[in-house]
């Protein structure tokens, strides 16, 4: 009977390790496979590893009872059964409940990681079996509990063990992409970077350029080295004339790394601000990183949003500027915004004025459109092509995307959030006459300024919104403090547990006016 209980416990341990891997690997993937980020995540979210903490306690109990107490057979059997039940609970605690916003993708890397992880987990089971067969029953259980308690660390160890192989795989794919790019010598690459606005610029510019050229655009948010490599390997063809390449970064040197891959001829810097401060550490590092694009262009021109204070201070000689500032080379002016869209005039460097209309809502879009127009002119698109392209531009998904849902107007700005983006979203909400409702979990990845900037956001929200729904009590405390700073009424604030809870509240609000809800940010599963 004792042996049966033991082998059942081993099986439950292995099941629990597989379930733990799925949970930890999901977060590890969302944390960009960064060991340092993942460790910080585990420290900030201890409830995700509570079963591992209990396993450590059970390890001590198992060893203590063997070394000190030497319990009689009946007591030992009860202990063994409780140990088996503990592993059953550990496994069940890792069974995912609900639907992930971004589920774990079982890529080849994740499968390799899982193999190494399970080999290490099985090593604990093998050691436990050795001890059990040599009469050290409680010690054998202690090893199983120790193995489970260390599973988060085993995941990182497995990643370290796999790192040489992952480097080789990455190098192979990179060299293959470089070979493909070299086979397209006539391809013009346009690099786009910025703290925010780069994805919108990518879509705006590519839509205009498609009026004249065959354009390759990376899908979704493929703006990392491997995302760009995947795009080149799977989608770049000989007939493509222009590659509009979005470039993201979270650390100094990452824009240069992307430039080394695609060799951009022209570049656009859309904005610079306190985005990803947690990893960049300072705004100076962000400025330095974004201007790596300027330093690595291959003979073309740099286009800059001159409205941005950080870009203005760093502007190099010869750069083409755009924006709504008086001294912009391509200047947006005479802007008219309604719920049907935006009309605006662009003054070209030669002084000529050109009127455009777009379904996009918000004056902030005019700045990006000026940049897209400037680049399109540089690449030879005529005025008719530019006008046609702008009329075909549709909202980028989850970036101030407008939709009507019965008696509810929804402004979906859930992709991500930053101080400038929040202000633009509030400005857009202000154009509507409806009963204005904000749903937000706040802004993240702002480092030491996160609390301060969210509090400022709260005061700005108070001036625009009729009702505020905060998603997540802990995360939104600074916004709540900002609302209180502005003397916003408590009966117009609701703190929701989840987005579904928030939307239920939206529908339950009673008002004689039509409701308009702004969905500002939607945090991924690792928050």
């Amino acid at each position: 009977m004792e042996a049966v209980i033991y082998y059942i416990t081993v099986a439950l341990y292995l099941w629990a390790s597989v379930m733990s891997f799925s949970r930890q690997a999901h977060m590890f993937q969302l944390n960009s496979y960064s060991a340092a980020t993942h460790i910080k995540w585990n420290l900030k979210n201890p409830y995700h590893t509570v079963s591992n903490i209990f396993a450590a306690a059970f390890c001590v109990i198992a060893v203590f009872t063997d070394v000190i107490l030497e319990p009689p057979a009946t007591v030992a059997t009860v202990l063994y059964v409780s140990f088996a039940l503990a592993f059953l609970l550990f496994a069940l605690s890792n069974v995912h409940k609900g639907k992930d916003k971004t589920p774990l993708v079982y890529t080849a890397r994740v499968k390799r990681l899982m193999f190494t992880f399970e080999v290490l987990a099985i090593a604990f089971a093998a050691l436990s079996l050795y001890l059990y067969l040599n009469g050290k029953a409680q010690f054998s259980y202690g090893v199983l509990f120790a193995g489970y308690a260390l599973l988060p660390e085993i995941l990182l160890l497995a990643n370290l063990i796999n790192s040489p192989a992952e480097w080789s795989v990455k190098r192979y794919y990179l060299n293959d992409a470089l070979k493909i790019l070299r086979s397209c010598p006539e391809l013009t690459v346009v690099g786009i970077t910025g703290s925010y606005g780069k994805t919108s610029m990518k879509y705006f510019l590519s839509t205009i350029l498609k009026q004249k050229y065959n354009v390759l655009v990376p899908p979704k948010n493929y703006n990392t080295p491997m995302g760009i490599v995947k795009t080149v390997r799977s989608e770049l063809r000989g007939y493509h004339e222009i590659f509009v390449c979005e470039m993201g970064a979270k650390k100094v040197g990452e824009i240069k790394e992307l430039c080394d891959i695609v060799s951009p001829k022209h570049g656009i810097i859309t904005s610079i601000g306190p985005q990803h401060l947690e990893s960049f550490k300072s705004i100076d590092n962000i400025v330095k990183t974004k201007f790596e694009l300027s330093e690595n262009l291959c003979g073309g021109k740099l286009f800059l949003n001159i409205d941005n204070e950080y870009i203005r201070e760093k502007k190099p000689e010869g750069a083409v500027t755009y924006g709504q500032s008086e001294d912009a080379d391509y200047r947006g002016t005479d802007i008219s915004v309604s719920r049907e869209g935006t009309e605006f005039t662009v003054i070209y460097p030669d002084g000529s004025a050109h009127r455009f209309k777009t379904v996009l809502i918000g004056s902030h879009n005019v700045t990006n459109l000026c940049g897209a127009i400037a680049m399109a002119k540089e690449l030879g698109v005529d005025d008719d092509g530019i006008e046609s392209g702008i009329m075909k531009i549709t909202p980028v998904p989850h970036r101030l995307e407008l939709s009507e849902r019965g008696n509810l107007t929804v402004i979906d700005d859930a992709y991500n959030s930053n101080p400038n983006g929040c202000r633009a979203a509030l400005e857009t909400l202000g154009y509507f006459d409806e009963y204005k409702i904000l749903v937000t979990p706040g802004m993240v990845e702002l480092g030491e300024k996160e609390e301060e900037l969210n509090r400022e956001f709260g005061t700005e929200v108070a001036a625009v919104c009729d009702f505020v729904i905060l998603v997540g009590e802990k995360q939104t405390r600074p916004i709540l403090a900002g609302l209180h700073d502005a003397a916003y009424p408590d009966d117009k604030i609701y703190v929701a547990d989840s987005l579904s809870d928030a939307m239920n509240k939206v529908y339950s609000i009673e008002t004689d006016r039509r409701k308009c809800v702004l969905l500002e940010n939607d945090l991924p599963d690792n928050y």
Side-chain angles (χ1 to χ4, degrees), residues 424-437:
L426 288 175
E427 178 187 343
T428 301
L429 182 62
Y431 295 132
F432 291 77
D433 295 327
E434 286 93 330
Y435 188 86
K436 302 174 186 64
I437 304 170

Side-chain angles (χ1 to χ4, degrees), residues 303-321:
F303 293 75
L304 300 176
N305 172 11
I306 202 65
D307 295 345
N308 184 275
E309 59 179 308
Y310 299 107
I311 293 177
R312 181 184 289 273
E313 292 172 1
K314 185 78 172 179
K315 174 184 171 294
E317 191 71 29
V320 179
T321 62

Side-chain angles (χ1 to χ4, degrees), residues 27-83:
M27 297 302 107
F28 192 42
Q29 190 175 71
L30 291 176
N31 289 324
S32 303
Y33 301 106
S34 166
T37 303
H38 193 62
I39 290 170
K40 288 180 182 177
W41 176 85
N42 272 310
L43 292 174
K44 288 175 66 175
N45 300 274
Y47 55 89
H48 283 280
T49 56
V50 66
S51 60
N52 303 83
I53 296 170
F54 275 108
F58 272 104
C59 174
V60 174
I61 292 170
V63 173
F64 178 80
T65 53
D66 188 51
V67 174
I68 307 297
L69 299 182
E70 297 183 4
T74 53
V75 175
T77 300
V78 172
L79 276 173
Y80 300 154
V81 171
S82 67
F83 291 162

Side-chain angles (χ1 to χ4, degrees), residues 279-293:
S279 55
F280 274 117
K281 306 303 181 186
S282 72
I283 195 72
D284 288 341
N285 283 338
I286 298 175
V287 173
K288 179 180 178 182
T289 303
K290 300 309 178 185
F291 272 89
E292 288 171 2
L293 176 59

Side-chain angles (χ1 to χ4, degrees), residues 197-373:
K198 52 187 178 291
T199 302
S200 295
M201 178 65 80
K202 176 181 72 174
Y203 279 105
F204 298 171
L205 177 60
S206 61
T207 302
I208 295 172
L209 293 178
K210 284 178 182 178
Q211 307 312 301
K212 181 175 181 178
Y213 299 106
N214 284 311
V215 183
L216 173 62
V217 188
K220 301 178 182 178
N221 59 337
Y222 278 29
N223 59 15
T224 64
M226 294 315 294
I228 297 304
V229 164
K230 182 177 180 179
T231 299
V232 170
R233 296 182 69 244
S234 62
E235 298 188 30
L236 181 60
R237 300 292 181 267
Y239 55 76
H240 284 123
E241 298 167 285
I242 297 178
F243 180 18
V244 178
C245 183
E246 179 184 346
M247 299 179 168
K250 291 186 177 181
K251 293 185 294 185
V252 174
E254 290 186 341
I255 296 299
K256 183 183 184 306
E257 181 182 357
L258 287 164
C259 289
D260 289 343
I261 297 171
V262 299
S263 302
K265 179 176 182 179
H266 304 292
I268 303 175
I269 301 179
T270 61
S271 61
I272 294 177
Q275 185 83 320
H276 302 310
L277 263 177
E278 195 167 308
S279 55
F280 274 117
K281 306 303 181 186
S282 72
I283 195 72
D284 288 341
N285 283 338
I286 298 175
V287 173
K288 179 180 178 182
T289 303
K290 300 309 178 185
F291 272 89
E292 288 171 2
L293 176 59
S294 169
E295 297 159 3
N296 290 277
L297 294 180
C298 299
K301 292 183 179 180
L302 178 67
F303 293 75
L304 300 176
N305 172 11
I306 202 65
D307 295 345
N308 184 275
E309 59 179 308
Y310 299 107
I311 293 177
R312 181 184 289 273
E313 292 172 1
K314 185 78 172 179
K315 174 184 171 294
E317 191 71 29
V320 179
T321 62
Y322 66 89
Q324 298 178 41
S325 301
E326 286 289 334
D327 55 346
D329 295 324
Y330 287 82
R331 178 167 63 92
T333 186
D334 193 16
I335 301 169
S336 173
V337 181
S338 70
R339 63 182 302 150
E340 282 74 38
T342 304
E343 291 188 46
F344 61 101
T345 297
V346 179
I347 309 298
Y348 287 9
D350 62 5
S352 61
H354 302 261
R355 190 73 175 167
F356 299 101
K357 184 175 182 179
T358 175
V359 297
L360 302 173
I361 298 174
S363 61
H364 65 286
N365 283 313
V366 173
T367 297
N368 277 333
L369 287 169
C370 286
I373 291 168

